[in-house]
């Protein structure tokens, strides 16, 4: 069950080796062919009734399909144990832009490339087909994954903290962060050790004030 494994790590109940084991077991829910991360497996049958979830056909919505909220929570959990490269790879796998990158994929997915879905089916009759699209909850969690975890941008009161878990494929990225009428240009670079500079001066956090135009450099530290 993806929820159990992801939230064991996000909540801090499982850490270290236990966290790694939790998320390793969840890899059994990844279906590369369909391009989905299942919520649970095996799906519930009519003989194993556990409430309304069992009313869905096997492999549809929560009953063994991809529930995109949970998929995003799983990717967030992966970043927390240092597996952000794997998290980004899976994010691209479930990204609707990628699902519509050619006719074969698009014909199977049958959804818009520019919005996230709530669910994608693993049912053999609708394999890889989208369910509900324009799902703002899934989109919100995807936004949080990208901004707060990959790029590490966390607004706390009058300060911006930057604690990135940057995948290698996002290295050397630039983010433009807006606050009221201020603009912060944030460049990510690989350095020998993690550090943040604001207009050339080393800082631990970024003050959020009006009428500023700042250049921030984030050195993420060297990774193998």
């Amino acid at each position: 069950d993806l929820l159990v494994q992801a939230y064991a790590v996000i909540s801090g109940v499982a850490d270290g080796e236990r966290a790694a084991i939790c998320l390793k077991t969840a890899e059994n829910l990844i279906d590369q062919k369909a391009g989905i991360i299942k919520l649970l497996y095996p799906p519930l049958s009519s003989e194993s009734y556990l409430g309304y979830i069992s009313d869905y056909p096997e492999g549809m919505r929560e009953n063994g399909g991809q529930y995109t909220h949970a998929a995003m929570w799983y990717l967030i959990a992966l970043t927390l144990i240092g597996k952000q490269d794997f998290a980004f790879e899976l994010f691209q796998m479930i990204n609707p832009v990628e699902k519509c990158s050619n006719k074969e994929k698009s014909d199977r997915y049958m959804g818009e490339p520019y919005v996230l879905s709530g669910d994608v089916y693993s049912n053999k009759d609708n394999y890889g087909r989208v369910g509900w699209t324009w799902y703002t909850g899934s989109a919100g969690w995807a936004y949080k994954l990208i901004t707060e975890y990959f790029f590490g941008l966390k607004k706390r009161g009058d300060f911006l903290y930057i604690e990135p878990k940057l995948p290698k494929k996002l290295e050397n990225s630039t983010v433009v962060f807006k606050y009221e009428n201020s603009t912060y240009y944030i460049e990510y670079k690989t350095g020998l050790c993690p550090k943040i500079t604001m207009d050339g001066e080393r800082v631990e956090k970024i003050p959020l004030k009006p009428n500023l135009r700042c250049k921030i450099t984030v050195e993420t530290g060297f990774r193998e």
Side-chain angles (χ1 to χ4, degrees):
D1 188 304
L2 198 61
L3 284 173
V4 176
Q5 310 296 40
Y7 262 91
V9 176
I10 292 172
S11 67
V13 171
D15 57 11
E17 184 179 357
R18 293 180 69 210
I21 291 171
C22 278
L23 300 187
K24 184 68 177 177
T25 60
E27 290 182 21
N28 293 322
L29 299 170
I30 299 169
D31 185 335
Q32 294 279 356
K33 185 177 179 181
I36 65 174
I37 307 172
K38 299 173 186 176
L39 180 63
L40 53 84
Y41 186 84
L44 302 173
S45 67
S46 57
E47 288 77 33
S48 55
Y49 188 81
L50 290 176
Y52 95 96
I53 188 174
S54 305
D55 291 332
Y56 290 118
E58 295 181 27
M60 305 283 276
R61 291 187 59 73
E62 292 101 320
N63 192 14
Q66 174 179 291
Y67 204 64
T68 309
H69 277 69
M72 294 303 166
W73 293 328
Y74 175 52
L75 302 188
I76 287 171
L78 285 171
T79 70
L80 294 176
I81 66 166
K83 290 189 173 292
Q84 55 264 39
D85 291 326
F86 187 40
F88 184 73
E89 177 187 328
L90 293 177
F91 177 78
Q92 290 296 77
M93 182 186 75
I94 65 177
N95 185 341
V97 174
E98 293 297 320
K99 288 182 177 295
C100 298
S101 60
N102 61 49
K103 188 176 186 303
E104 180 183 358
K105 290 181 179 180
S106 183
D107 286 348
R108 178 173 62 204
Y109 183 62
M110 299 182 71
E112 305 95 328
Y114 41 80
V115 289
L116 268 173
S117 63
D119 53 301
V120 186
Y121 305 144
S122 65
N123 179 282
K124 62 182 179 63
D125 296 323
N126 301 278
Y127 187 64
R129 180 176 176 176
V130 71
W132 291 1
T133 58
W134 293 94
Y135 220 68
T136 54
S138 298
W141 281 104
Y143 183 80
K144 193 175 182 75
L145 166 69
I146 295 166
T147 57
E148 292 196 16
Y149 290 89
F150 285 161
F151 288 107
L153 304 174
K154 297 179 181 178
K155 181 181 178 296
R156 301 290 184 264
D158 295 328
F159 292 93
L160 177 67
Y161 293 82
I162 307 178
E163 302 166 348
K165 300 283 188 180
L166 203 65
K168 287 184 178 179
K169 289 190 176 179
L170 293 181
E171 288 177 354
N172 302 313
S173 295
T174 300
V175 172
V176 179
F177 182 88
K178 301 276 191 176
Y179 175 77
E180 295 185 358
N181 63 342
S182 295
T183 304
Y184 299 80
Y185 297 92
I186 306 171
E187 294 183 351
Y188 292 81
K189 297 182 178 180
T190 303
L192 293 177
C193 61
K195 68 178 181 179
I196 301 170
T197 57
M198 177 175 173
D199 292 335
E201 294 188 12
R202 188 162 183 171
V203 293
E204 298 297 323
K205 56 188 178 181
I206 310 299
L208 296 173
K209 298 179 180 179
N211 306 311
L212 289 179
R213 291 178 68 86
C214 303
K215 180 181 178 181
I216 299 165
T217 301
V218 180
E219 295 188 34
T220 57
F222 179 77
R223 293 173 57 211
E224 290 290 344

